[in-house]
Amino acid sequence: MNLARRIYRLSPNQYSAETIAVTFAKTSRSPEPFDRIAAELDAEKSSKFSEKWIVGYGHSSVAEHAVLHLALENISRLAIETIEGNRLASYTEKSTRYQEWNPDAWVLPPEIEASRFAEKYRGLMRLLFQSYAEATEALRAWCEEVTERLPEESEKAWQNRARVKAVDVARFFLPAASMANVGVTINARALEYAIKKLLSSELEEDRQIGREVKTVATQELPTLVKYANPIESLAGIRACFRTEAARVAAEPEEGWCQLLGAEPDAEDQVLAAALLRFGERSYSECLAHVRSLEAGEKSALAEALFAQLSDFDVPLRELEYAHYDFDLVMDQGAYFEFKRHRMMTQTPQALTTRLGYAIPKAMSQAGVEGLYRQAMNEAARLYEELWQFHPEAASYVVPNGYNRRVLCRLNLRELFHFTRLRASENAHFSIRRIALRMAEQASRAHPLFCEKLSLPDGETAESLGEAYFTDVSAKPDCAG
Ligand SMILES: Cc1cc2nc3c(=O)[nH]c(=O)nc-3n(C[C@H](O)[C@H](O)[C@H](O)COP(=O)(O)OP(=O)(O)OC[C@H]3O[C@@H](n4cnc5c(N)ncnc54)[C@H](O)[C@@H]3O)c2cc1C
């Protein structure tokens, strides 16, 4: 037996994804080296093994070693939400910040195509995309007027900076039906669940995508996604909770960022967990010790956790013992970015026009606020009509400017990461405002740690609101 250390790749050019997964699975019982195990496998043997161990005996984690790269093109942003709702995968999608949309790049969902609303839907899409193009031009001209050219900046670079600013605002017109592309890297275990969720969706586009993804994945994973079928229990759960949810009484307006839960002594808990990690005492003993410390001593410990961190370092995992629950309302454009943060638990409500819409200040300053309001009103009118017919499909017509509610739970480590990315000056102004308000609220609960968040100097959620928005919850006129 060769006892020398060996580290090498099992290349997907040589072995199928399923064979690689089975090779790794077999090391559990076989003393043979991986390459020898792999050499003895063929598609049939791998499939038999997968069927018995992974599918039959439920050793499902083995399927995580089979990884696929899936390219999905020209699907609606609404369908992208269903796909990206799977946490254990990697995504890169077409950006509303760096690209402009083709006027025909929208999905006509099968439910609506077959209904009496098809023509109205097409009419609204034409209006939204024409308004988007018109507003982009007006905003571009206005942004060039108000964007000073930097010393030594080329004409092209300056024009590009102005263009990006314009597109950041014009994106508020784009509906959830807008087509986009997304690249997905996902393992077979996560993919099986993703397909199940797609097949269980209330939207036909999702179900079609689920079937196509299953067909494509089966070419590489003949066994591991074979049993990906709709989740039968979902229909009952939906029906029960929708009925009960309809009975929940409305309260007076509660604000767009509410910190619902943050344990008062979470900072002590984080410090206790760090003491446990580097010491030999139990958690209760460490916590009792932290509680006995003077404020200055705790502050010194907190300081030590952050003092040496560079911009590229990640704080210790023990920060995950502090967590926050937020009830947030943000525009759909911001939500589309927010949902990408997989380390949070997120529960979004359906996308509707009923929480009002945001009006970016630049829309008013560039002289296209009227155009925007008209588009938002038309979208709300059709949304309400469609809602009577098919509430889920109605979401396709809702533009990015409309507000969305999302409940989320995140830990302090993720709050550091989120605010570093999303409060920074190069992030979109909508999500910057959300990130800053979340940081402000968390800081009130946990000042010791939250003062270490990397936030931009001199800016607050309120100052961003004033600088970038005419209104953040304008009510649409549905009367027509
Ligand atoms: C300026 C900017 C421009 C962007 N442009 C685009 C764009 O054009 N298109 C686009 O699709 N997205 C874009 N994004 C989104 C970006 O790619 C991330 O998906 C998003 O910011 C979420 O960040 P995250 O993955 O670090 O966060 P989370 O998902 O919250 O993850 C937190 C941390 O956990 C770790 N982690 C989580 N999952 C994995 C994993 N599977 N493998 C390894 N580590 C993991 C990482 O350390 C990660 O930083 C942009 C973001 C920014 C800030």
Side-chain angles (χ1 to χ4, degrees):
M1 181 180 271
N2 180 4
L3 295 180
R5 176 162 63 214
R6 293 176 71 214
I7 297 175
Y8 54 98
R9 289 170 65 226
L10 288 188
S11 168
N13 297 333
Q14 197 175 352
Y15 306 107
S16 76
E18 199 157 300
T19 297
I20 291 175
V22 170
T23 302
F24 285 170
K26 278 183 167 259
T27 203
S28 151
R29 307 283 194 279
S30 165
E32 296 294 332
F34 290 110
D35 48 1
R36 193 167 306 158
I37 299 173
E40 284 167 11
L41 287 170
D42 56 25
E44 198 188 328
K45 282 185 192 155
S46 298
S47 176
K48 254 192 185 160
F49 182 94
S50 302
E51 190 80 53
K52 181 171 171 188
W53 288 95
I54 304 176
V55 179
Y57 295 157
H59 190 177
S60 310
S61 63
V62 170
E64 293 168 30
H65 294 296
V67 174
L68 289 193
H69 302 286
L70 296 171
L72 290 91
E73 294 175 4
N74 301 325
I75 62 177
S76 72
R77 281 164 56 89
L78 204 57
I80 286 185
E81 281 193 21
T82 312
I83 292 159
E84 292 181 353
N86 297 286
R87 171 182 288 158
L88 296 174
S90 309
Y91 309 97
T92 300
E93 74 202 40
K94 175 171 170 167
S95 167
T96 50
R97 302 194 69 196
Y98 308 115
Q99 295 196 51
E100 288 173 44
W101 252 251
N102 178 303
D104 300 319
W106 45 269
V107 164
L108 174 58
E111 300 87 340
I112 296 178
E113 188 174 19
S115 78
R116 65 195 160 86
F117 297 102
E119 262 326 292
K120 273 193 177 174
Y121 181 93
R122 286 192 183 95
L124 179 66
M125 289 300 132
R126 283 193 286 269
L127 173 80
L128 291 176
F129 279 80
Q130 271 163 17
S131 306
Y132 167 77
E134 207 176 304
T136 304
E137 278 319 304
L139 283 159
R140 197 193 318 259
W142 179 78
C143 287
E144 284 186 5
E145 250 172 59
V146 298
T147 305
E148 262 183 53
R149 199 159 149 187
L150 302 171
E152 297 183 27
E153 189 177 33
S154 71
E155 165 113 7
K156 202 170 162 204
W158 164 75
Q159 272 178 344
N160 194 45
R161 218 153 44 84
R163 188 191 72 86
V164 169
K165 277 190 194 173
V167 173
D168 264 358
V169 178
R171 82 173 195 183
F172 283 69
F173 281 95
L174 291 173
S178 306
M179 281 180 183
N181 298 343
V182 60
V184 181
T185 300
I186 189 164
N187 69 56
R189 186 185 203 181
L191 181 60
E192 188 196 30
Y193 189 43
I195 295 170
K196 285 180 171 186
K197 286 201 273 184
L198 283 163
L199 295 177
S200 316
S201 169
E202 294 174 282
L203 295 171
E204 180 55 23
E205 185 196 6
D206 284 351
R207 295 193 294 270
Q208 287 175 359
I209 293 170
R211 290 193 285 274
E212 287 173 41
V213 167
K214 187 172 172 178
T215 304
V216 168
T218 303
Q219 293 161 6
E220 186 80 9
L221 308 168
T223 321
L224 296 179
V225 296
K226 195 156 113 184
Y227 300 101
N229 293 316
I231 306 164
E232 302 294 345
S233 56
L234 267 183
I237 295 171
R238 281 179 187 133
C240 169
F241 278 85
R242 277 194 185 131
T243 308
E244 196 60 29
R247 300 178 61 227
V248 177
E251 300 280 345
E253 208 137 294
E254 292 165 312
W256 56 273
C257 175
Q258 290 179 71
L259 177 56
L260 304 169
E263 285 188 40
D265 73 341
E267 290 176 318
D268 287 356
Q269 294 175 29
V270 170
L271 291 177
L275 290 179
L276 179 146
R277 173 173 171 159
F278 295 107
E280 295 185 344
R281 300 287 176 231
S282 72
Y283 178 71
S284 310
E285 289 164 335
C286 292
L287 189 58
H289 176 77
V290 172
R291 284 178 178 155
S292 74
L293 295 175
E294 300 288 333
E297 292 173 299
K298 285 189 199 179
S299 177
L301 283 175
E303 188 60 33
L305 279 177
F306 296 98
Q308 310 280 328
L309 289 187
S310 81
D311 283 353
F312 301 101
D313 288 337
V314 180
L316 289 192
R317 182 170 279 195
E318 282 62 39
L319 264 70
E320 294 181 10
Y321 289 100
H323 71 255
Y324 309 90
D325 292 347
F326 285 99
D327 185 332
L328 299 163
V329 174
M330 65 186 83
D331 65 66
Q332 169 69 0
Y335 170 70
F336 218 73
E337 295 173 348
F338 190 77
K339 73 172 176 7
R340 294 294 299 280
H341 289 273
R342 296 158 291 179
M343 290 288 153
M344 298 183 197
T345 299
Q346 298 185 358
T347 305
Q349 264 175 358
L351 175 59
T352 77
T353 55
R354 294 176 182 172
L355 290 174
Y357 62 92
I359 307 178
K361 200 167 247 179
M363 205 77 91
S364 319
Q365 290 164 322
V368 286
E369 185 183 323
L371 183 77
Y372 180 63
R373 282 183 183 273
Q374 191 208 342
M376 295 292 120
N377 289 340
E378 292 295 336
R381 280 169 207 149
L382 186 55
Y383 173 83
E384 290 300 341
E385 280 190 67
L386 281 170
W387 189 85
Q388 304 289 338
F389 159 69
H390 195 307
E392 292 73 35
S395 298
Y396 278 102
V397 303
V398 182
N400 266 334
Y402 273 100
N403 287 328
R404 184 93 183 255
R405 186 188 298 283
V406 56
L407 178 69
C408 83
R409 171 170 291 187
L410 75 166
N411 62 53
L412 181 54
R413 198 171 180 223
E414 173 70 351
L415 184 67
F416 267 83
H417 179 67
F418 175 71
T419 48
R420 185 183 279 174
L421 280 184
R422 300 303 191 174
S424 82
E425 279 176 19
N426 65 353
H428 190 279
F429 56 83
S430 269
I431 199 158
R432 292 188 74 207
R433 176 170 161 269
I434 306 295
L436 278 174
R437 179 54 60 87
M438 287 169 73
E440 287 160 10
Q441 298 218 346
S443 296
R444 259 174 245 139
H446 300 144
L448 193 58
F449 284 113
C450 290
E451 72 167 25
K452 316 282 185 210
L453 293 170
S454 36
L455 301 175
D457 283 341
E459 281 184 312
T460 61
E462 198 177 342
S463 72
L464 280 183
E466 279 167 13
Y468 287 99
F469 291 98
T470 299
D471 195 343
V472 288
S473 56
K475 295 282 167 262
D477 172 8
C478 291

